[in-house]
Amino acid sequence: MSGFPYLWPPQASAYSAEVDRLGIGFTLLVVALSAPVFALTIAFAIRYRRGKPANRRHPVNRNVWLETSWAIVPFCLILYFFVWSTGLFVDLRSPPADALDIAVVAKQWMWKFEHPGGQREIDELHVPAGQDVKLTMASQDVIHSLFLPALRLKQDAVPGRYTTLWFNADRPGVYQLACAEFCGADHSEMVGRFVVMDPADYAR
């Protein structure tokens, strides 16, 4: 699954594909639950637009099980999506112990990356494909937010504290990275490249 062209950025990991499935599935659920309400509202507005005397000669025909199902079924479906999304959130907050640790420093208006071997990059992040990577992030001035659209991930870099983000990008290619938190006059220029490489090329 590569996402819908022109609607979603390309996917660079299994996690991004899972996020897209969650978003599409929840959208379809909302449409399925709300469409009958809107359709019936329009139909009744047209059918009874001139009014009609109420027939009170017979008691209302009630079906308790049917009425209960209208509440139970949507609740169970929404609970399923809650559990699904919570699982993704918990996984995102549990980086593997052997992940490649890359230090990230944000400042107006650039991203600085330092690899375990001491190699440094500005506004470009190269990572090996198929390997767990952990970003340890900080900011030198104001709040920034590292956004990697191809991974469906975003994490704030906050002054005075460290934040972390981990991922496993398994699809080589060149993708976008950007700051997603307004951070000053040149915020829109705080962009760069996220490069997923073959492990052998990364090692070289």
Side-chain angles (χ1 to χ4, degrees), residues 55-131:
N55 183 353
R56 304 184 187 281
R57 290 177 296 177
H58 303 287
V60 177
N61 182 18
R62 302 192 57 169
N63 186 326
V64 175
W65 290 109
L66 178 61
E67 294 179 4
T68 303
S69 69
W70 291 344
I72 297 299
V73 173
F75 173 77
C76 291
L77 291 173
I78 292 174
L79 184 62
Y80 169 77
F81 280 93
F82 170 77
V83 173
W84 184 2
S85 61
T86 300
L88 290 175
F89 178 83
V90 171
D91 182 62
L92 190 61
R93 295 296 183 272
S94 307
D98 59 347
L100 178 69
D101 201 345
I102 297 177
V104 184
V105 176
K107 62 176 295 186
Q108 295 172 317
W109 286 275
M110 68 175 67
W111 295 102
K112 298 191 292 185
F113 303 96
E114 183 172 345
H115 296 260
Q119 302 90 339
R120 298 180 180 181
E121 304 182 83
I122 294 180
D123 293 338
E124 285 196 359
L125 173 60
H126 291 74
V127 300
Q131 182 171 343

Side-chain angles (χ1 to χ4, degrees), residues 152-174:
R152 311 298 191 263
L153 294 175
K154 183 172 73 73
Q155 177 61 55
D156 288 352
V158 182
R161 59 173 292 189
Y162 290 104
T163 57
T164 60
L165 174 69
W166 85 274
F167 56 84
N168 187 317
D170 55 7
R171 298 172 189 175
V174 179

